[in-house]
Amino acid sequence: MASNFAARANQALMQSSPKWRLVVWLLLMLSASLWTLQLWQNGARVQSDILAMLPHLQQDKLTERALNQVEATLADQVYIALVAKDETTAIAAAKLLMQKLEADLVARGKQGALTDIRSADIQLGEALGQFYFPHRFKLLTAPQAEALASQNIESLLEAATAQLYNAFSYANSNLLAQDPLLLFPANLLALAPSSKVRASHGILLANQGDNVAAVVMAKGRESAFNPNAQLAQMTALTVALDAVEEGYPDITVLKAGALFHALAATQTAKSEISILGLASLLGVIALVWLAFRSVMPLMLAIVTISSGLLLAVTFTLSVFGELHLLTLVFGTSLIGIAIDYSFHFYCERLSDTERSAKATVAYIFPTVTLAFITSALAYVGIGLAPFPGMQQVAIFCAAGLLGAYLTLILAYPLLAGSRLPEGSRPLALAGTYLACLTQLSKRFTTPLGMGMFALVILVWCLVGVTKLTVDDDIRHLQQSPASVTEPENQLRQLLSGGTDNQFLLVRAPNEEALLQQLERVSPMLDAAIANQELGNYVSLSRYLPSHQRQDTAYRLQGKIYQTQLELVLTSLGLDENLKPELQAAYLAAQTDYITPATFFTLGAGKQLAPLWLAPNGKATDYGAINDGDTLNDDGASADQGADYGAIVLLGGIQQIDALKARFAHDGSVQLIDKVADISAVMGHYRLLTLKLLALALGIALLLFSLNFGFKKAAVVVAVPALAALLTLATLGLTGSPLSLFHALALILVFGIGIDYSLFFASAQNHGKAVMMAVFMSACSTLLAFGLLAFSQTQAIHYFGLTLSLGIGFTFLLSPLILTTTLALTTNQLLTTKKS
């Protein structure tokens, strides 16, 4: 059935005019060009965000919101540390940096690249004091609560007396009149997390050995992974830092933030696109010129590659609306694959110089069509993975192959009509190589030869596969250079470990239960810090005590204001007339609580609001509506019946497994580790991809059996299967771990390798033209993917290395289809004659 369809299609091609085919091709290319131009004008863009390439995790609504909140909060932050020999210089340099950044923001207005420029907030303590002071009767530190619970009022009197005589204390007559035991200052200090940093003159400072570092923070107005935003943000930073270095030449600058990782990724990708793409193109041009010694094949090779790249970009932008830089890096390999059709065409023309271009296209049409379908299906197999990056690569390369295939069918009959120079030398070399393989295959077809060959392959595969290890760590997708990671690590140490990507998600059925859960989690995290499992954490429990905790503090303070107030006033030498006012203030505070709704209206509270996940996310509420939420008619979030949640940020994680173990049996606390979760998903799909490869081999065997018969189809399929197995064994022998990228590359090895097998299975005469075409195709493909193996990105390196090995093995094995068939046929004829 498939052969009948191919025959009818081929007949239709022979009857069609080459001029009309060229017109159709030109209209197609023009339409693709205009559509692509319109897509760019309508907002299509180049994407460099590595997160956009990662698999999508299947999470519940609350976990998904938490992940989005953390990414939105941390993604576009920029941290700059100015390290100087003394505090005065560091402060002056930081103020100059902030002044220059703010001047740029004022000058550019809404076009300013960096916003929210800040260091230490000198008004934060005052604002917090004003907010919490009316609630002072419901606040107690742990030592204060313990003293009151044990009726140890004397220790509190001693502490208050010490503060009275301390020149640096908060004590004053106004505070004493409202808080005679001076309990509130200790509670206000407890709000500040323990840290190595301090504030001076509005600048955040940290010690680095004998030096002092001043830290300045800012937030990008747009995503750091937008190349245009990267340029604008780096320009603003560079201008400001140049002014700082000019005024303070001894300053050392440390940088941290997603901006610098994204910029490094963009620069690496652009460099690799230009270098690898240019090298691949030059290699293809050299191959074409050495083989055909004519300008026309060279020009048509460039046309074929260009049309393939045009359709690749058009389809990718149409489906995704953006083009990832890593897709372009992977896509450079398209040059080496798309040119294969041109090689097969011209090699067939060399073998029969009397045949016209139109007749040559018709002659190779069935095989080229089947080859295109199998290669495209291989890319579709890559696209089945839940990996947006690989899906883009699949669409890009499959569309590129389609462009090359249509160029061959529609444009070559007219454009490639000129005669070629004498090409006997390349064909003679191909014939000599085939003759050698034929002699070799005769030895393999004997029982002893087949046994020795099978034994070598078996030992190689067994030893290699048993040494194969697995590594699904998503961090191998992109690794930033040391020039980015080392300063960031130094700055993280200054900030007590900074904030990691892992965090805790605490959930509860209601607001009060959630606050109590947070209070229960904090001591466990303190223990983790004591055991050096963790560097620091940021939790709302520090700022939002539960009603239960506030009631406890209120009840304990009742022992002061209801039974011991006279003793306190007398012991501290205060006016006894304060007693009625203090008792009245105490009683009035009974029903007044610190609540999230009031706290998140503060400046400090707004900064912490992303850590609170209320199921009813009204715009006027303390937790603003998240990007992924939808609203009902009454303004409530669509997940209104969901649990309450709170995010606890973690920093300086040293022992992630020990930290996970602390909450392993607590259903209300979940340690969110997106990197580990995505790595687990990658491991799952690595296994699934290998199963798909086995399934594809089985389907190909059934499909080819219809055309070639079962025995010949088995040989055709055995070549890419054995090449994949030898590739895995070689990876094991060389110590390269197996990952999803290796598995996806093996799918492509099958898709490309099956083409070679098909051409040899369909070869007539002695297959010299096929041998030459496969040799050139393998060279161009090895050149393309071999260059990818030199990529600085491990994912691309793994992809290119696996494809290089797989295509190399396929090239060595595929001619055996022809030579083995000839040898077996000869043996059968000899056996028949003897009988």
Side-chain angles (χ1 to χ4, degrees):
M1 183 176 179
S3 58
N4 291 335
F5 174 78
R8 288 195 297 270
N10 199 4
Q11 185 179 5
L13 282 174
M14 286 296 293
Q15 294 175 353
S16 61
S17 167
K19 291 182 179 180
W20 279 111
R21 287 200 224 175
L22 183 62
V23 169
V24 171
W25 179 79
L26 288 173
L27 289 175
L28 178 65
M29 293 299 116
L30 179 61
S31 300
S33 301
L34 294 175
W35 178 245
T36 302
L37 182 62
Q38 184 178 359
L39 289 173
W40 282 118
Q41 292 177 342
N42 290 340
R45 61 196 179 105
V46 175
Q47 172 67 271
S48 64
D49 184 358
I50 204 66
L51 298 176
M53 294 196 74
L54 302 182
H56 296 300
L57 297 174
Q58 297 298 321
Q59 303 280 12
D60 61 84
K61 182 67 175 179
L62 190 63
T63 304
E64 185 178 350
R65 288 179 59 197
L67 284 166
N68 292 337
Q69 288 281 57
V70 171
E71 289 175 5
T73 302
L74 301 179
D76 301 324
Q77 293 290 335
V78 175
Y79 302 87
I80 306 293
L82 304 174
V83 184
K85 294 181 179 179
D86 58 85
E87 184 173 308
T88 303
T89 304
I91 291 173
K95 287 186 174 181
L96 178 59
L97 176 62
M98 295 174 68
Q99 178 186 343
K100 293 295 182 181
L101 291 176
E102 288 168 352
D104 177 81
L105 181 61
V106 171
R108 296 177 181 269
K110 292 184 178 181
Q111 302 301 318
L114 295 170
T115 64
D116 194 18
I117 301 155
R118 64 198 186 281
S119 187
D121 189 349
I122 58 176
Q123 298 179 344
L124 178 62
E126 182 180 349
L128 289 175
Q130 292 176 354
F131 173 76
Y132 283 106
F133 189 74
H135 305 284
R136 61 191 178 279
F137 299 108
K138 292 189 175 179
L139 295 174
L140 284 176
T141 63
Q144 291 171 351
E146 183 179 353
L148 288 173
S150 61
Q151 305 290 337
N152 188 9
I153 195 74
E154 289 78 11
S155 64
L156 297 179
L157 286 169
E158 291 175 2
T161 303
Q163 288 192 62
L164 285 173
Y165 292 100
N166 186 343
F168 299 99
S169 74
Y170 292 92
N172 57 57
S173 58
N174 186 40
L175 180 60
L176 281 168
Q178 300 179 75
D179 181 22
L181 280 177
L182 298 175
L183 301 179
F184 180 71
N187 284 278
L188 189 61
L189 290 173
L191 295 174
S194 57
S195 174
K196 300 176 184 178
V197 298
R198 64 187 189 278
S200 178
H201 296 84
I203 301 297
L204 201 63
L205 300 174
N207 292 329
Q208 188 188 51
D210 296 331
N211 298 325
V212 178
V215 181
V216 175
M217 294 161 281
K219 184 176 179 63
R221 186 183 295 277
E222 297 182 63
S223 171
F225 299 102
N226 181 324
N228 293 331
Q230 287 176 19
L231 179 62
Q233 291 174 28
M234 282 305 302
T235 301
L237 275 175
T238 301
V239 170
L241 288 173
D242 286 346
V244 170
E245 291 176 357
E246 182 179 351
Y248 305 92
D250 295 332
I251 287 285
T252 300
V253 179
L254 302 178
K255 306 173 187 176
L259 169 65
F260 308 107
H261 292 275
L263 186 65
T266 301
Q267 291 174 342
T268 299
K270 287 181 177 179
S271 174
E272 291 183 353
I273 289 169
S274 57
I275 294 174
L276 300 183
L278 180 61
S280 182
L281 183 61
L282 291 176
V284 167
I285 290 173
L287 274 174
V288 173
W289 179 257
L290 291 173
F292 307 118
R293 302 297 177 90
S294 175
V295 175
M296 184 53 68
L298 192 58
M299 296 300 295
L300 279 181
I302 295 174
V303 169
T304 303
I305 293 171
S306 301
S307 60
L309 291 175
L310 173 60
L311 283 193
V313 172
T314 302
F315 273 74
T316 305
L317 291 179
S318 298
V319 175
F320 297 98
E322 62 184 18
L323 191 61
H324 202 286
L325 281 173
L326 287 184
T327 299
L328 292 175
V329 176
F330 277 108
T332 58
S333 62
L334 180 64
I335 297 172
I337 303 172
I339 199 64
D340 288 358
Y341 303 132
S342 182
F343 289 160
H344 283 289
F345 172 84
Y346 275 108
C347 287
E348 287 296 338
R349 288 212 68 190
L350 278 179
S351 67
D352 188 352
T353 55
E354 299 301 321
R355 186 188 291 149
S356 67
K358 180 180 177 181
T360 304
V361 171
Y363 176 74
I364 66 174
F365 174 77
T367 306
V368 168
T369 300
L370 192 56
F372 164 69
I373 292 172
T374 53
S375 297
L377 288 176
Y379 280 116
V380 170
I382 291 177
L384 291 176
F387 215 113
M390 289 297 101
Q391 290 167 357
Q392 268 205 27
V393 170
I395 294 293
F396 187 91
C397 292
L401 284 180
L402 176 62
Y405 172 77
L406 292 177
T407 301
L408 172 68
I409 302 302
L410 300 176
Y412 274 52
L414 186 62
L415 296 182
S418 59
R419 297 177 62 87
L420 288 174
E422 178 61 37
S424 58
R425 177 176 173 78
L427 288 175
L429 291 174
T432 303
Y433 180 69
L434 272 176
C436 294
L437 285 179
T438 302
Q439 294 298 321
L440 183 63
S441 65
K442 288 180 180 180
R443 299 181 181 180
F444 288 154
T445 53
T446 64
L448 179 61
M450 292 180 67
M452 291 296 294
F453 181 75
L455 180 62
V456 171
I457 296 296
L458 182 63
V459 171
W460 187 348
C461 292
L462 283 177
V463 174
V465 172
T466 54
K467 289 188 176 183
L468 198 61
T469 58
V470 173
D471 185 1
D472 297 306
D473 195 336
I474 189 62
R475 284 169 289 195
H476 292 162
L477 185 64
Q478 179 70 53
Q479 292 182 318
S480 298
S483 59
V484 173
T485 57
E486 289 180 2
E488 181 173 270
N489 289 335
Q490 293 181 45
L491 205 157
R492 285 172 65 88
Q493 292 301 316
L494 290 175
L495 299 176
S496 303
T499 301
D500 292 323
N501 291 324
Q502 298 89 347
F503 61 91
L504 291 181
L505 175 59
V506 183
R507 62 181 77 212
N510 56 65
E511 188 174 278
E512 173 62 13
L514 179 59
L515 293 174
Q516 292 182 25
Q517 289 279 34
L518 287 171
E519 290 170 354
R520 183 178 59 82
V521 167
S522 291
M524 300 172 70
L525 293 175
D526 291 333
I529 292 175
N531 289 343
Q532 297 184 343
E533 301 167 11
L534 182 67
N536 63 85
Y537 67 93
V538 178
S539 174
L540 289 171
S541 65
R542 193 185 303 275
Y543 306 93
L544 290 173
S546 64
H547 283 202
Q548 181 185 59
R549 182 174 164 189
Q550 292 181 64
D551 286 338
T552 300
Y554 184 80
R555 188 185 70 255
L556 289 173
Q557 290 206 45
K559 298 180 180 181
I560 301 173
Y561 294 99
Q562 292 181 329
T563 61
Q564 303 286 338
L565 189 54
E566 290 184 5
L567 173 63
V568 169
L569 295 176
T570 302
S571 300
L572 295 175
L574 299 176
D575 189 350
E576 293 185 3
N577 292 329
L578 293 174
K579 180 179 178 180
E581 294 181 12
L582 288 170
Q583 288 181 331
Y586 172 79
L587 293 173
Q590 183 175 3
T591 58
D592 192 10
Y593 290 93
I594 300 168
T595 65
T598 55
F599 175 73
F600 290 131
T601 59
L602 292 176
K606 289 178 180 178
Q607 294 180 14
L608 295 170
L611 303 184
W612 183 264
L613 302 171
N616 186 8
K618 293 183 180 179
T620 55
D621 215 341
Y622 29 90
I625 298 170
N626 295 288
D627 294 337
D629 289 345
T630 57
L631 295 182
N632 298 323
D633 293 336
D634 62 352
S637 177
D639 63 332
Q640 189 167 353
D643 289 345
Y644 279 78
I647 296 167
V648 180
L649 298 177
L650 306 176
I653 297 176
Q654 301 295 327
Q655 302 178 45
I656 186 69
D657 292 335
L659 205 56
K660 287 181 178 179
R662 288 183 178 273
F663 306 101
H665 304 291
D666 191 340
S668 63
V669 182
Q670 180 183 3
L671 197 154
I672 306 295
D673 187 355
K674 187 174 182 179
V675 170
D677 292 341
I678 293 177
S679 298
V681 170
M682 289 182 65
H684 169 73
Y685 282 99
R686 169 179 47 79
L687 293 173
L688 181 60
T689 302
L690 293 176
K691 292 177 182 178
L692 284 174
L693 176 59
L695 179 62
L697 289 169
I699 294 173
L701 178 61
L702 294 176
L703 179 64
F704 298 154
S705 296
L706 300 176
N707 287 338
F708 304 120
F710 181 78
K711 289 184 178 180
K712 195 171 185 179
V715 176
V716 171
V717 174
V719 168
L722 186 56
L725 192 59
L726 288 171
T727 300
L728 289 174
T730 306
L731 291 174
L733 291 172
T734 56
S736 180
L738 183 64
S739 69
L740 175 61
F741 304 104
H742 295 90
L744 293 173
L746 288 176
I747 291 281
L748 201 51
V749 167
F750 163 74
I752 299 173
I754 208 73
D755 291 358
Y756 300 167
S757 299
L758 284 172
F759 281 116
F760 277 110
S762 305
Q764 299 179 8
N765 301 324
H766 294 288
K768 292 188 292 185
V770 172
M771 185 67 248
M772 180 181 172
V774 168
F775 172 76
M776 295 184 68
S777 297
C779 286
S780 63
T781 305
L782 285 171
L783 179 64
F785 290 117
L787 290 171
L788 289 186
F790 291 99
S791 172
Q792 297 179 30
T793 304
Q794 281 195 352
I796 300 176
H797 165 74
Y798 288 157
F799 199 83
L801 176 63
T802 306
L803 273 162
S804 298
L805 291 172
I807 297 302
F809 285 126
T810 305
F811 170 73
L812 293 175
L813 294 172
S814 58
L816 295 178
I817 295 174
L818 180 62
T819 57
T820 302
T821 302
L822 292 174
L824 288 174
T825 303
T826 303
N827 288 339
Q828 288 177 357
L829 290 173
L830 291 174
T831 303
T832 302
K833 287 181 180 180
K834 289 179 180 179
S835 61

